[in-house]
Amino acid sequence: LLEPGRLSSWNEPKLLPTRDLHPIPAQRPGGMHEPGLRLGATATATTMASPVATSEEGTFRPKTTTKPTPPRGTVTAPLGPIGTARRIIQREGFFSLYKGLTAVYTGIIPKMAIRFVSFEQYREIFHSFSHPKNNTEPFTSTVTFFAGLASGLTEAILVVTPAEVCKIRMQSQYHSLLDPQQMKHRKYTNVVQTATTIVREEGLGALYKGVVPTMMRQGCNQAVNFSVYNWFKKMVLEYRGRKELDSWESLILGGVSGGMGPLVNNPLDVVKTRLQKQVVTPGKPAKYTGLGQSCALIAKEEGYAALWKGITPRLLRIMPGQAITFMTYEAVSSKMTKWGVF
């Protein structure tokens, strides 16, 4: 006779000794396995590696597993502006959404001043070239386009490129605003200190990283922006039979025209950001070296869709900004004209 727990035949089921069975401790939700039974350390390893587990009655059942939960402190969020904002807030605090603000408002005032003053000057110059004998003719769409293009190039060289380099360095560094130690040891603190650090470590030319795609982006933006706005303005004034737009009309037309540029030139913005974000170490080759090389490398490594990353937050930022800008510009220029300043 066979002893209990021994096989009576090679193909008969094995009877497990009940004395070695003991319950598995309950796992926290999201663990690797559910509560069950195990047979010593060896059986435990076998059970986890095998797609089946042995029950107390000696039968077999499929092993049920669940996905492991991410480590404590890890924030999971879907891709997109809302998910990204949620992830930043949970990891670094709400005010991390305002990193680089000093660089933004330090650059925005001179940028807007240079943009509109240079646009008006370039438009007058180009108009005098196209109508040398009669300067009373209305501005053509061609004159408006090239004046906008020139104003975008001017602001890119004088203000936008250095301000963007500082802003991107401040935004891309990781430090939690909830942790005083990380706040204390962050590398970039404000726009002046950031610019000083960049010049000291990388030279003055580092403030003009990505100047070519920045010039192309700003030039394209303002050429399209001013052209679309003035075309819509002309159509509305002719339709309504008036000489000036209402404030709400300038607001809407400014927002619509402001969204046209980013839809056209987002690849330039992606390349500009990659060039300005990277820190070049002496003796090591830079990953991104120029406009063409960067576009080709991004498309090769991440796909062509990567050249359109960030289009949604760009539109959410630029369209309201341009709406307010054009409404303010029309109101201020109208008042200054009535006061005889122009």
Short mmCIF file of all heavy atoms in Angstrom, two decimals, residues 237-303:
data_model
loop_
_atom_site.label_atom_id
_atom_site.label_comp_id
_atom_site.label_asym_id
_atom_site.label_seq_id
_atom_site.Cartn_x
_atom_site.Cartn_y
_atom_site.Cartn_z
N LEU A 237 -15.32 96.82 -40.81
CA LEU A 237 -15.61 98.26 -40.93
C LEU A 237 -16.40 98.55 -42.20
O LEU A 237 -17.32 99.39 -42.19
CB LEU A 237 -14.30 99.05 -40.93
CG LEU A 237 -13.53 99.08 -39.60
CD1 LEU A 237 -12.25 99.88 -39.74
CD2 LEU A 237 -14.40 99.64 -38.48
N GLU A 238 -16.08 97.86 -43.29
CA GLU A 238 -16.83 98.06 -44.52
C GLU A 238 -18.26 97.55 -44.38
O GLU A 238 -19.20 98.17 -44.88
CB GLU A 238 -16.13 97.34 -45.68
CG GLU A 238 -14.83 98.00 -46.13
CD GLU A 238 -14.18 97.26 -47.27
OE1 GLU A 238 -14.68 96.17 -47.64
OE2 GLU A 238 -13.16 97.75 -47.80
N TYR A 239 -18.41 96.43 -43.69
CA TYR A 239 -19.75 95.85 -43.52
C TYR A 239 -20.61 96.72 -42.61
O TYR A 239 -21.81 96.91 -42.88
CB TYR A 239 -19.62 94.44 -42.93
CG TYR A 239 -20.94 93.78 -42.65
CD1 TYR A 239 -21.70 93.23 -43.69
CD2 TYR A 239 -21.42 93.70 -41.35
CE1 TYR A 239 -22.92 92.62 -43.42
CE2 TYR A 239 -22.63 93.10 -41.07
CZ TYR A 239 -23.37 92.56 -42.12
OH TYR A 239 -24.58 91.95 -41.85
N ARG A 240 -20.04 97.25 -41.56
CA ARG A 240 -20.81 98.04 -40.60
C ARG A 240 -20.83 99.53 -40.93
O ARG A 240 -21.55 100.31 -40.28
CB ARG A 240 -20.24 97.84 -39.19
CG ARG A 240 -20.36 96.40 -38.71
CD ARG A 240 -19.70 96.22 -37.37
NE ARG A 240 -20.41 96.92 -36.31
CZ ARG A 240 -21.43 96.41 -35.61
NH1 ARG A 240 -21.84 95.17 -35.87
NH2 ARG A 240 -22.01 97.11 -34.66
N GLY A 241 -20.02 99.94 -41.92
CA GLY A 241 -20.02 101.33 -42.35
C GLY A 241 -19.49 102.29 -41.30
O GLY A 241 -20.03 103.40 -41.14
N ARG A 242 -18.46 101.88 -40.59
CA ARG A 242 -17.88 102.73 -39.55
C ARG A 242 -16.38 102.87 -39.77
O ARG A 242 -15.79 102.19 -40.60
CB ARG A 242 -18.16 102.13 -38.16
CG ARG A 242 -19.63 102.18 -37.80
CD ARG A 242 -19.89 101.77 -36.35
NE ARG A 242 -19.74 100.31 -36.19
CZ ARG A 242 -18.88 99.75 -35.37
NH1 ARG A 242 -18.04 100.52 -34.67
NH2 ARG A 242 -18.82 98.44 -35.25
N LYS A 243 -15.76 103.77 -38.98
CA LYS A 243 -14.34 104.00 -39.12
C LYS A 243 -13.51 103.36 -38.00
O LYS A 243 -12.30 103.25 -38.13
CB LYS A 243 -14.05 105.52 -39.14
CG LYS A 243 -14.60 106.23 -40.37
CD LYS A 243 -14.20 107.70 -40.36
CE LYS A 243 -14.69 108.39 -41.62
NZ LYS A 243 -14.29 109.85 -41.63
N GLU A 244 -14.17 102.98 -36.92
CA GLU A 244 -13.47 102.38 -35.79
C GLU A 244 -14.21 101.15 -35.30
O GLU A 244 -15.44 101.06 -35.41
CB GLU A 244 -13.31 103.38 -34.63
CG GLU A 244 -12.35 104.53 -34.92
CD GLU A 244 -12.15 105.40 -33.70
OE1 GLU A 244 -12.79 105.13 -32.65
OE2 GLU A 244 -11.36 106.35 -33.78
N LEU A 245 -13.46 100.22 -34.74
CA LEU A 245 -14.05 99.03 -34.16
C LEU A 245 -14.47 99.29 -32.72
O LEU A 245 -13.87 100.12 -32.02
CB LEU A 245 -13.03 97.87 -34.16
CG LEU A 245 -12.59 97.31 -35.51
CD1 LEU A 245 -11.46 96.31 -35.30
CD2 LEU A 245 -13.74 96.66 -36.25
N ASP A 246 -15.50 98.58 -32.28
CA ASP A 246 -15.82 98.58 -30.86
C ASP A 246 -14.78 97.74 -30.12
O ASP A 246 -14.07 96.91 -30.72
CB ASP A 246 -17.22 98.01 -30.63
CG ASP A 246 -18.31 98.91 -31.16
OD1 ASP A 246 -18.07 100.14 -31.25
OD2 ASP A 246 -19.40 98.39 -31.50
N SER A 247 -14.73 97.92 -28.82
CA SER A 247 -13.73 97.20 -28.03
C SER A 247 -13.93 95.69 -28.11
O SER A 247 -12.96 94.92 -28.24
CB SER A 247 -13.79 97.65 -26.57
OG SER A 247 -13.43 99.01 -26.46
N TRP A 248 -15.18 95.23 -28.06
CA TRP A 248 -15.43 93.80 -28.11
C TRP A 248 -15.08 93.22 -29.48
O TRP A 248 -14.66 92.05 -29.58
CB TRP A 248 -16.89 93.49 -27.75
CG TRP A 248 -17.90 93.99 -28.75
CD1 TRP A 248 -18.52 95.20 -28.76
CD2 TRP A 248 -18.41 93.26 -29.87
NE1 TRP A 248 -19.39 95.30 -29.82
CE2 TRP A 248 -19.35 94.11 -30.53
CE3 TRP A 248 -18.19 92.00 -30.39
CZ2 TRP A 248 -20.03 93.72 -31.66
CZ3 TRP A 248 -18.88 91.60 -31.52
CH2 TRP A 248 -19.79 92.46 -32.15
N GLU A 249 -15.22 94.02 -30.53
CA GLU A 249 -14.83 93.56 -31.86
C GLU A 249 -13.32 93.40 -31.98
O GLU A 249 -12.82 92.40 -32.53
CB GLU A 249 -15.34 94.54 -32.92
CG GLU A 249 -16.85 94.57 -33.03
CD GLU A 249 -17.34 95.68 -33.95
OE1 GLU A 249 -16.67 96.73 -34.03
OE2 GLU A 249 -18.39 95.50 -34.60
N SER A 250 -12.58 94.36 -31.43
CA SER A 250 -11.13 94.24 -31.42
C SER A 250 -10.68 93.03 -30.59
O SER A 250 -9.72 92.35 -30.94
CB SER A 250 -10.49 95.51 -30.84
OG SER A 250 -10.84 96.64 -31.60
N LEU A 251 -11.39 92.76 -29.50
CA LEU A 251 -11.08 91.62 -28.65
C LEU A 251 -11.22 90.31 -29.41
O LEU A 251 -10.32 89.44 -29.39
CB LEU A 251 -11.98 91.64 -27.42
CG LEU A 251 -11.71 90.58 -26.35
CD1 LEU A 251 -10.46 90.93 -25.57
CD2 LEU A 251 -12.91 90.46 -25.40
N ILE A 252 -12.33 90.16 -30.12
CA ILE A 252 -12.58 88.90 -30.85
C ILE A 252 -11.61 88.75 -32.02
O ILE A 252 -11.01 87.68 -32.22
CB ILE A 252 -14.04 88.86 -31.34
CG1 ILE A 252 -14.99 88.79 -30.14
CG2 ILE A 252 -14.26 87.66 -32.27
CD1 ILE A 252 -16.45 88.84 -30.51
N LEU A 253 -11.46 89.81 -32.80
CA LEU A 253 -10.58 89.73 -33.97
C LEU A 253 -9.13 89.51 -33.55
O LEU A 253 -8.38 88.77 -34.22
CB LEU A 253 -10.68 91.02 -34.79
CG LEU A 253 -12.04 91.30 -35.42
CD1 LEU A 253 -11.97 92.55 -36.29
CD2 LEU A 253 -12.54 90.11 -36.24
N GLY A 254 -8.70 90.10 -32.44
CA GLY A 254 -7.35 89.88 -31.95
C GLY A 254 -7.12 88.45 -31.53
O GLY A 254 -6.06 87.87 -31.79
N GLY A 255 -8.11 87.84 -30.88
CA GLY A 255 -7.98 86.45 -30.47
C GLY A 255 -7.92 85.50 -31.65
O GLY A 255 -7.10 84.56 -31.68
N VAL A 256 -8.77 85.74 -32.65
CA VAL A 256 -8.78 84.87 -33.84
C VAL A 256 -7.47 84.99 -34.61
O VAL A 256 -6.85 83.98 -35.00
CB VAL A 256 -9.98 85.22 -34.75
CG1 VAL A 256 -9.90 84.44 -36.06
CG2 VAL A 256 -11.29 84.89 -34.04
N SER A 257 -7.02 86.21 -34.83
CA SER A 257 -5.77 86.41 -35.58
C SER A 257 -4.57 85.87 -34.80
O SER A 257 -3.61 85.36 -35.39
CB SER A 257 -5.57 87.89 -35.89
OG SER A 257 -5.42 88.64 -34.70
N GLY A 258 -4.62 85.96 -33.47
CA GLY A 258 -3.52 85.47 -32.67
C GLY A 258 -3.34 83.96 -32.74
O GLY A 258 -2.24 83.46 -32.52
N GLY A 259 -4.42 83.24 -33.03
CA GLY A 259 -4.31 81.79 -33.12
C GLY A 259 -3.80 81.28 -34.45
O GLY A 259 -3.46 80.09 -34.56
N MET A 260 -3.71 82.13 -35.45
CA MET A 260 -3.28 81.67 -36.77
C MET A 260 -1.78 81.37 -36.82
O MET A 260 -1.36 80.39 -37.42
CB MET A 260 -3.64 82.74 -37.81
CG MET A 260 -5.11 83.01 -37.95
SD MET A 260 -6.03 81.54 -38.46
CE MET A 260 -7.71 82.16 -38.41
N GLY A 261 -0.98 82.23 -36.19
CA GLY A 261 0.46 82.04 -36.24
C GLY A 261 0.93 80.73 -35.63
O GLY A 261 1.70 79.98 -36.26
N PRO A 262 0.52 80.38 -34.40
CA PRO A 262 0.95 79.11 -33.81
C PRO A 262 0.56 77.88 -34.61
O PRO A 262 1.30 76.89 -34.62
CB PRO A 262 0.25 79.12 -32.44
CG PRO A 262 0.05 80.55 -32.12
CD PRO A 262 -0.20 81.22 -33.43
N LEU A 263 -0.57 77.92 -35.28
CA LEU A 263 -0.96 76.77 -36.09
C LEU A 263 0.01 76.54 -37.25
O LEU A 263 0.18 75.42 -37.71
CB LEU A 263 -2.38 76.99 -36.65
CG LEU A 263 -3.51 76.98 -35.61
CD1 LEU A 263 -4.83 77.36 -36.28
CD2 LEU A 263 -3.63 75.62 -34.95
N VAL A 264 0.65 77.61 -37.71
CA VAL A 264 1.57 77.51 -38.83
C VAL A 264 2.98 77.16 -38.39
O VAL A 264 3.66 76.34 -39.02
CB VAL A 264 1.57 78.83 -39.64
CG1 VAL A 264 2.62 78.79 -40.74
CG2 VAL A 264 0.18 79.11 -40.21
N ASN A 265 3.42 77.75 -37.27
CA ASN A 265 4.86 77.69 -36.95
C ASN A 265 5.19 76.90 -35.69
O ASN A 265 6.26 77.09 -35.12
CB ASN A 265 5.44 79.10 -36.83
CG ASN A 265 4.78 79.89 -35.70
OD1 ASN A 265 4.23 79.33 -34.77
ND2 ASN A 265 4.85 81.20 -35.79
N ASN A 266 4.32 76.02 -35.24
CA ASN A 266 4.62 75.28 -34.01
C ASN A 266 5.91 74.46 -34.10
O ASN A 266 6.63 74.35 -33.09
CB ASN A 266 3.45 74.35 -33.64
CG ASN A 266 3.50 73.93 -32.20
OD1 ASN A 266 3.20 74.70 -31.30
ND2 ASN A 266 3.91 72.68 -31.96
N PRO A 267 6.26 73.83 -35.24
CA PRO A 267 7.56 73.13 -35.30
C PRO A 267 8.74 74.03 -34.97
O PRO A 267 9.70 73.59 -34.33
CB PRO A 267 7.61 72.63 -36.74
CG PRO A 267 6.19 72.46 -37.13
CD PRO A 267 5.47 73.59 -36.46
N LEU A 268 8.68 75.29 -35.37
CA LEU A 268 9.76 76.22 -35.04
C LEU A 268 9.84 76.45 -33.53
O LEU A 268 10.93 76.56 -32.97
CB LEU A 268 9.54 77.56 -35.75
CG LEU A 268 9.59 77.53 -37.28
CD1 LEU A 268 9.20 78.90 -37.84
CD2 LEU A 268 10.97 77.14 -37.77
N ASP A 269 8.69 76.49 -32.87
CA ASP A 269 8.68 76.68 -31.44
C ASP A 269 9.25 75.47 -30.71
O ASP A 269 9.96 75.61 -29.71
CB ASP A 269 7.25 76.95 -30.97
CG ASP A 269 7.18 77.34 -29.50
OD1 ASP A 269 7.66 78.44 -29.17
OD2 ASP A 269 6.67 76.54 -28.70
N VAL A 270 8.95 74.27 -31.19
CA VAL A 270 9.49 73.04 -30.57
C VAL A 270 11.00 73.01 -30.70
O VAL A 270 11.72 72.74 -29.72
CB VAL A 270 8.86 71.79 -31.22
CG1 VAL A 270 9.55 70.53 -30.73
CG2 VAL A 270 7.37 71.72 -30.91
N VAL A 271 11.51 73.31 -31.89
CA VAL A 271 12.96 73.30 -32.11
C VAL A 271 13.63 74.38 -31.27
O VAL A 271 14.68 74.16 -30.64
CB VAL A 271 13.28 73.50 -33.60
CG1 VAL A 271 14.77 73.71 -33.81
CG2 VAL A 271 12.80 72.30 -34.41
N LYS A 272 13.04 75.56 -31.21
CA LYS A 272 13.58 76.66 -30.41
C LYS A 272 13.69 76.25 -28.95
O LYS A 272 14.71 76.50 -28.29
CB LYS A 272 12.68 77.89 -30.54
CG LYS A 272 13.06 79.04 -29.64
CD LYS A 272 11.90 79.99 -29.48
CE LYS A 272 10.81 79.43 -28.62
NZ LYS A 272 11.17 79.30 -27.19
N THR A 273 12.66 75.62 -28.42
CA THR A 273 12.66 75.20 -27.03
C THR A 273 13.73 74.16 -26.76
O THR A 273 14.44 74.23 -25.74
CB THR A 273 11.28 74.66 -26.63
OG1 THR A 273 10.29 75.66 -26.89
CG2 THR A 273 11.25 74.29 -25.16
N ARG A 274 13.90 73.18 -27.65
CA ARG A 274 14.93 72.16 -27.45
C ARG A 274 16.33 72.78 -27.46
O ARG A 274 17.19 72.41 -26.66
CB ARG A 274 14.83 71.10 -28.55
CG ARG A 274 13.49 70.36 -28.61
CD ARG A 274 13.29 69.43 -27.44
NE ARG A 274 12.02 68.73 -27.52
CZ ARG A 274 11.85 67.53 -28.07
NH1 ARG A 274 12.89 66.89 -28.59
NH2 ARG A 274 10.66 66.97 -28.09
N LEU A 275 16.56 73.71 -28.37
CA LEU A 275 17.88 74.35 -28.45
C LEU A 275 18.18 75.17 -27.21
O LEU A 275 19.31 75.19 -26.71
CB LEU A 275 17.95 75.23 -29.70
CG LEU A 275 18.05 74.51 -31.05
CD1 LEU A 275 17.84 75.51 -32.19
CD2 LEU A 275 19.40 73.83 -31.20
N GLN A 276 17.18 75.87 -26.70
CA GLN A 276 17.40 76.76 -25.57
C GLN A 276 17.45 76.02 -24.25
O GLN A 276 18.07 76.49 -23.29
CB GLN A 276 16.30 77.84 -25.54
CG GLN A 276 16.36 78.79 -26.72
CD GLN A 276 15.18 79.74 -26.77
OE1 GLN A 276 14.13 79.48 -26.20
NE2 GLN A 276 15.35 80.85 -27.47
N LYS A 277 16.81 74.87 -24.18
CA LYS A 277 16.76 74.12 -22.93
C LYS A 277 18.06 73.38 -22.66
O LYS A 277 18.47 73.25 -21.50
CB LYS A 277 15.60 73.13 -22.99
CG LYS A 277 15.43 72.31 -21.73
CD LYS A 277 14.27 71.34 -21.86
CE LYS A 277 14.12 70.48 -20.62
NZ LYS A 277 12.98 69.53 -20.75
N GLN A 278 18.72 72.88 -23.71
CA GLN A 278 19.90 72.06 -23.49
C GLN A 278 21.08 72.89 -22.97
O GLN A 278 21.29 74.02 -23.38
CB GLN A 278 20.30 71.33 -24.79
CG GLN A 278 20.86 72.23 -25.88
CD GLN A 278 21.31 71.45 -27.09
OE1 GLN A 278 21.34 70.23 -27.10
NE2 GLN A 278 21.66 72.15 -28.15
N VAL A 279 21.82 72.28 -22.07
CA VAL A 279 23.02 72.89 -21.51
C VAL A 279 24.22 72.22 -22.17
O VAL A 279 24.40 71.00 -22.05
CB VAL A 279 23.08 72.72 -19.98
CG1 VAL A 279 24.36 73.33 -19.42
CG2 VAL A 279 21.86 73.37 -19.34
N VAL A 280 25.02 72.99 -22.86
CA VAL A 280 26.17 72.44 -23.59
C VAL A 280 27.38 72.41 -22.67
O VAL A 280 27.78 73.44 -22.13
CB VAL A 280 26.47 73.28 -24.85
CG1 VAL A 280 27.68 72.70 -25.58
CG2 VAL A 280 25.25 73.32 -25.76
N THR A 281 27.93 71.21 -22.47
CA THR A 281 29.13 71.04 -21.65
C THR A 281 30.36 71.10 -22.54
O THR A 281 30.39 70.45 -23.59
CB THR A 281 29.08 69.69 -20.92
OG1 THR A 281 27.86 69.61 -20.16
CG2 THR A 281 30.27 69.53 -19.99
N PRO A 282 31.36 71.87 -22.17
CA PRO A 282 32.59 71.93 -22.99
C PRO A 282 33.20 70.55 -23.19
O PRO A 282 33.33 69.78 -22.24
CB PRO A 282 33.51 72.84 -22.16
CG PRO A 282 32.58 73.67 -21.33
CD PRO A 282 31.42 72.79 -21.02
N GLY A 283 33.55 70.25 -24.41
CA GLY A 283 34.15 68.96 -24.74
C GLY A 283 33.16 67.90 -25.14
O GLY A 283 33.56 66.82 -25.58
N LYS A 284 31.85 68.17 -24.97
CA LYS A 284 30.83 67.20 -25.34
C LYS A 284 29.96 67.79 -26.46
O LYS A 284 29.57 68.95 -26.38
CB LYS A 284 29.96 66.84 -24.14
CG LYS A 284 30.71 66.11 -23.05
CD LYS A 284 29.76 65.71 -21.92
CE LYS A 284 30.49 64.96 -20.82
NZ LYS A 284 29.58 64.57 -19.71
N PRO A 285 29.66 67.02 -27.49
CA PRO A 285 28.85 67.55 -28.58
C PRO A 285 27.40 67.77 -28.16
O PRO A 285 26.85 67.00 -27.36
CB PRO A 285 28.95 66.44 -29.65
CG PRO A 285 29.23 65.19 -28.88
CD PRO A 285 30.06 65.61 -27.71
N ALA A 286 26.80 68.82 -28.66
CA ALA A 286 25.41 69.12 -28.35
C ALA A 286 24.49 68.21 -29.17
O ALA A 286 24.79 67.86 -30.31
CB ALA A 286 25.10 70.59 -28.67
N LYS A 287 23.38 67.83 -28.57
CA LYS A 287 22.43 66.96 -29.27
C LYS A 287 21.74 67.71 -30.41
O LYS A 287 21.57 67.18 -31.50
CB LYS A 287 21.38 66.42 -28.29
CG LYS A 287 20.38 65.48 -28.93
CD LYS A 287 19.42 64.90 -27.90
CE LYS A 287 18.44 63.93 -28.56
NZ LYS A 287 17.49 63.34 -27.58
N TYR A 288 21.31 68.93 -30.13
CA TYR A 288 20.64 69.75 -31.14
C TYR A 288 21.59 70.88 -31.53
O TYR A 288 22.06 71.64 -30.68
CB TYR A 288 19.34 70.32 -30.59
CG TYR A 288 18.38 69.27 -30.09
CD1 TYR A 288 18.13 69.11 -28.72
CD2 TYR A 288 17.73 68.41 -30.96
CE1 TYR A 288 17.25 68.15 -28.26
CE2 TYR A 288 16.86 67.44 -30.51
CZ TYR A 288 16.62 67.32 -29.15
OH TYR A 288 15.76 66.35 -28.69
N THR A 289 21.84 71.02 -32.82
CA THR A 289 22.83 71.98 -33.29
C THR A 289 22.25 73.06 -34.19
O THR A 289 22.84 74.12 -34.32
CB THR A 289 23.95 71.26 -34.05
OG1 THR A 289 23.38 70.52 -35.15
CG2 THR A 289 24.69 70.29 -33.13
N GLY A 290 21.14 72.83 -34.82
CA GLY A 290 20.58 73.82 -35.73
C GLY A 290 19.15 73.48 -36.08
O GLY A 290 18.60 72.46 -35.65
N LEU A 291 18.53 74.35 -36.87
CA LEU A 291 17.12 74.20 -37.21
C LEU A 291 16.84 72.91 -37.98
O LEU A 291 16.01 72.09 -37.58
CB LEU A 291 16.65 75.41 -38.01
CG LEU A 291 15.20 75.39 -38.49
CD1 LEU A 291 14.25 75.31 -37.32
CD2 LEU A 291 14.90 76.64 -39.32
N GLY A 292 17.55 72.71 -39.08
CA GLY A 292 17.31 71.52 -39.90
C GLY A 292 17.66 70.24 -39.19
O GLY A 292 16.89 69.26 -39.22
N GLN A 293 18.83 70.22 -38.52
CA GLN A 293 19.26 69.02 -37.81
C GLN A 293 18.29 68.67 -36.69
O GLN A 293 17.98 67.49 -36.45
CB GLN A 293 20.68 69.22 -37.27
CG GLN A 293 21.26 68.03 -36.51
CD GLN A 293 21.01 68.09 -35.01
OE1 GLN A 293 20.54 69.09 -34.49
NE2 GLN A 293 21.32 67.00 -34.33
N SER A 294 17.80 69.68 -35.97
CA SER A 294 16.88 69.44 -34.86
C SER A 294 15.55 68.89 -35.35
O SER A 294 15.00 67.95 -34.77
CB SER A 294 16.67 70.73 -34.07
OG SER A 294 17.88 71.21 -33.55
N CYS A 295 15.02 69.47 -36.41
CA CYS A 295 13.76 68.97 -36.97
C CYS A 295 13.88 67.50 -37.40
O CYS A 295 13.01 66.68 -37.10
CB CYS A 295 13.34 69.83 -38.17
SG CYS A 295 12.62 71.42 -37.77
N ALA A 296 14.98 67.19 -38.11
CA ALA A 296 15.17 65.82 -38.58
C ALA A 296 15.34 64.86 -37.41
O ALA A 296 14.79 63.74 -37.43
CB ALA A 296 16.40 65.77 -39.50
N LEU A 297 16.08 65.25 -36.38
CA LEU A 297 16.32 64.37 -35.24
C LEU A 297 15.05 64.14 -34.43
O LEU A 297 14.77 63.00 -34.02
CB LEU A 297 17.40 64.98 -34.35
CG LEU A 297 17.86 64.13 -33.16
CD1 LEU A 297 18.41 62.80 -33.63
CD2 LEU A 297 18.90 64.88 -32.33
N ILE A 298 14.28 65.18 -34.21
CA ILE A 298 13.02 65.03 -33.47
C ILE A 298 12.05 64.13 -34.22
O ILE A 298 11.42 63.24 -33.64
CB ILE A 298 12.39 66.41 -33.20
CG1 ILE A 298 13.27 67.21 -32.23
CG2 ILE A 298 10.99 66.26 -32.62
CD1 ILE A 298 12.85 68.66 -32.07
N ALA A 299 11.93 64.35 -35.53
CA ALA A 299 11.03 63.51 -36.33
C ALA A 299 11.50 62.06 -36.35
O ALA A 299 10.68 61.13 -36.32
CB ALA A 299 10.96 64.06 -37.76
N LYS A 300 12.82 61.83 -36.37
CA LYS A 300 13.34 60.47 -36.41
C LYS A 300 13.13 59.74 -35.08
O LYS A 300 12.73 58.57 -35.06
CB LYS A 300 14.84 60.52 -36.74
CG LYS A 300 15.51 59.15 -36.77
CD LYS A 300 17.00 59.29 -37.08
CE LYS A 300 17.69 57.92 -37.05
NZ LYS A 300 19.14 58.06 -37.33
N GLU A 301 13.39 60.42 -33.97
CA GLU A 301 13.32 59.78 -32.67
C GLU A 301 11.90 59.71 -32.10
O GLU A 301 11.56 58.76 -31.40
CB GLU A 301 14.21 60.53 -31.67
CG GLU A 301 15.69 60.42 -31.96
CD GLU A 301 16.54 61.10 -30.90
OE1 GLU A 301 15.99 61.87 -30.08
OE2 GLU A 301 17.76 60.86 -30.88
N GLU A 302 11.08 60.72 -32.40
CA GLU A 302 9.77 60.81 -31.76
C GLU A 302 8.60 60.82 -32.73
O GLU A 302 7.45 60.80 -32.28
CB GLU A 302 9.73 62.06 -30.88
CG GLU A 302 10.87 62.16 -29.89
CD GLU A 302 10.90 63.50 -29.17
OE1 GLU A 302 9.81 63.98 -28.78
OE2 GLU A 302 11.99 64.07 -29.03
N GLY A 303 8.89 60.90 -34.02
CA GLY A 303 7.81 60.97 -34.99
C GLY A 303 7.49 62.41 -35.38
O GLY A 303 7.80 63.35 -34.62
#
